[in-house]
Amino acid sequence: MIKPHMVIGVDLGGTHLRAALVNEDGRLLARERTASGSALAPEEALRRLTAQCRTLITAARADGARVAAIGLGAAGSIDRRAGRIVHSPNLPRLNGFLLAPALERELGLPVFLENDANVYGLGETWQGAGVGIRNWVGLTLGTGVGGCLIFEHQLWRGDDLGFAGEIGHLPVLPGGSVCACGAVGCLETLASGSALARGVTAARDRGQILGPALEQAADQGRITPLAVFQAARAGDSLACELFATLGWALGVALAGLFSVLGIRTAIIGGGVSGAWELFEPSLRRALRDQARMFDPQLARVKRAALGDDAALLGAARLALDALANRR
Amino acid sequence: MIKPHMVIGVDLGGTHLRAALVNEDGRLLARERTASGSALAPEEALRRLTAQCRTLITAARADGARVAAIGLGAAGSIDRRAGRIVHSPNLPRLNGFLLAPALERELGLPVFLENDANVYGLGETWQGAGVGIRNWVGLTLGTGVGGCLIFEHQLWRGDDLGFAGEIGHLPVLPGGSVCACGAVGCLETLASGSALARGVTAARDRGQILGPALEQAADQGRITPLAVFQAARAGDSLACELFATLGWALGVALAGLFSVLGIRTAIIGGGVSGAWELFEPSLRRALRDQARMFDPQLARVKRAALGDDAALLGAARLALDALANRR
């Protein structure tokens, strides 16, 4: 009797390493979670990941199944052929680390590595808001803005240069702020969690009087995206304006991408997308104002469906697809 | 004996209707050309096209071949399934005209219709600067800015909404000029022949003293892209500045598209691309400043190779591909 195949999907996050055992139907059967943090060293990351995977391999065995491969999603730029993390903004000590081969040696299983926003796209297209949608643009709004492109139900990798779908670095406001990438006016400078926090700091620096909630957060040195979200929910005008700008920037970027790509669907996830009602109106307004190639009524801008599970399921899907391509 | 297949490729231009007999190897065997013009009525366009095609069908027969299909390229928005010209900026009386079915009835041959920039992409990918390049972005700089996307050596049609590759309508300068499409700050408002001419008029309107060549052109009501080109070649500072802006806008747009698509090649054609040396430096500078996802040295920005023949060969290729898909 052939044992059923399972895979492990791993999300290498800046605060936690999460892993899940996933079957071929996309069911999440067991989960592991352990702390990470910006000081995490490569050897320790490898040790923790190996332990998580071993626990899940044992769980699979108890189910009469075997784990066939492991998929990893990580923020930053990835050399997926080598399995190397080239630049890791959240786990900086992993920069340059050949993670996939190291984990392969520990576990004796094939390991595949991909950018986290691309993994999100694979997850949502397999089990989430992208099911059955042939072509879509994916965005993840977190500290930065991640992006992916799903074309013909597949993850688009372009010329395989080590990045694709970097929608956060589409210029939307020439002459605007300098982005973390070094360019000017990228979508990420207006539509990320960092942009929200920076917007408050900038307003304070130019002498604007903050509302009481933001003033208190500023005094405590805690102007977080969550603080801006809570202030906006309580009606703070600066916070509301920052979310309106975030929505405007998304709308401009999506109008451009829809016109260029001739497609009509976007799926938005990531932590900041939890503030949906705060930025959706201005997003739709900008889309309507900028989208002249097509009836803006046709545009479908949807919320992601899987939350954090998109990363786990997408990493699992990455492993399944890679196995299928090897055969 | 099976007679060799040939096809006819037609370019419905604003000043001329051009047609060519093309064999399956992409050789252009005979050409026809007749005047068009913005007053051209649908019946007359149909009559002239029918006459051109009949001449080429006869030429094919004399060669012992037979014409199997006809491909048409036209500016504007196209309903390619119905074979209808939806909106024709250069030949406005053809708006709404079911051109392909009408020509099919006249000739008893299958006729396929596509947007002119997409046809340019098919032509260059078959016989021009795009040969052997898996993924590229195409731009045609004329009165407006046309665009196309070639993915996996194929013309990308997205969700088949009636447009794709509308790179001219990518926003590059929010708060900039209103585009012909109604949106603000599109690439076309800065990187087209119209933008060059409008830049001179705008400078004059705000009281700027024009150089002698442009002043004379303005007095004669003839501020054409060609006049701006000639003035720039002669060192006119305003004209040079307009070409530098055109290059900057192209560089910003391409940096964004390369980052989003994860590809590295663009091929630029159309009449205004003849002024290559006037805008290339600022294009490369903007690309270098904006392209942070990848080494800008990797970017390949090439001139189109086929000139006006791209439209004829691309329309022929459209017909051949459509026949192959039917079989």
Side-chain angles (χ1 to χ4, degrees), chain B residues 187-203:
Chain B
L187 176 61
E188 181 165 302
T189 64
L190 297 166
S192 59
S194 312
L196 294 171
R198 210 172 36 241
V200 174
T201 313

Side-chain angles (χ1 to χ4, degrees), chain A residues 255 257-264 292-295 298, chain B residues 76-78 114-115 118 156-166:
Chain A
L257 288 178
F258 288 170
S259 293
V260 166
L261 298 173
I263 73 174
R264 65 189 189 100
R292 297 302 169 110
M293 288 296 111
F294 61 102
D295 179 356
L298 283 178
Chain B
S77 69
I78 300 296
E114 184 52 271
N115 169 269
N118 282 347
W156 171 255
R157 289 194 172 98
D159 285 337
D160 229 336
L161 301 173
F163 64 91
E166 287 291 351

Side-chain angles (χ1 to χ4, degrees), chain B residues 70-267:
Chain B
I70 294 163
L72 306 175
S77 69
I78 300 296
D79 178 349
R80 70 187 183 91
R81 289 194 181 167
R84 184 202 307 267
I85 295 182
V86 176
H87 175 70
S88 172
N90 303 328
L91 302 169
R93 294 179 67 186
L94 300 191
N95 285 356
F97 185 46
L98 276 160
L99 177 59
L103 196 59
E104 281 188 351
R105 277 193 301 274
E106 293 292 329
L107 299 170
L109 288 172
V111 178
F112 306 97
L113 180 65
E114 184 52 271
N115 169 269
D116 61 344
N118 282 347
V119 161
Y120 151 85
L122 287 170
E124 291 286 341
T125 217
W126 190 25
Q127 297 293 331
V131 171
I133 302 178
R134 189 155 64 106
N135 302 305
W136 55 275
V137 168
L139 286 167
T140 58
L141 311 180
T143 307
V145 174
C148 64
L149 297 168
I150 301 293
F151 291 162
E152 310 291 340
H153 302 288
Q154 305 284 323
L155 178 64
W156 171 255
R157 289 194 172 98
D159 285 337
D160 229 336
L161 301 173
F163 64 91
E166 287 291 351
I167 298 161
H169 300 288
L170 192 71
V172 293
L173 191 60
S177 308
V178 176
C179 183
C181 78
V184 169
C186 297
L187 176 61
E188 181 165 302
T189 64
L190 297 166
S192 59
S194 312
L196 294 171
R198 210 172 36 241
V200 174
T201 313
R204 200 182 193 217
D205 289 350
R206 62 176 183 262
Q208 190 170 330
I209 308 291
L210 301 186
L214 288 178
E215 187 59 46
Q216 194 187 347
D219 282 344
Q220 295 169 349
R222 284 196 214 145
I223 306 178
T224 59
L226 184 62
V228 184
F229 170 67
Q230 287 165 339
R233 286 274 288 252
D236 183 279
S237 64
L238 171 63
C240 288
E241 199 184 289
L242 289 168
F243 275 103
T245 300
L246 180 147
W248 170 83
L250 290 173
V252 169
L254 290 179
L257 288 177
F258 287 170
S259 294
V260 167
L261 297 172
I263 72 174
R264 65 188 190 100
T265 309
I267 298 175

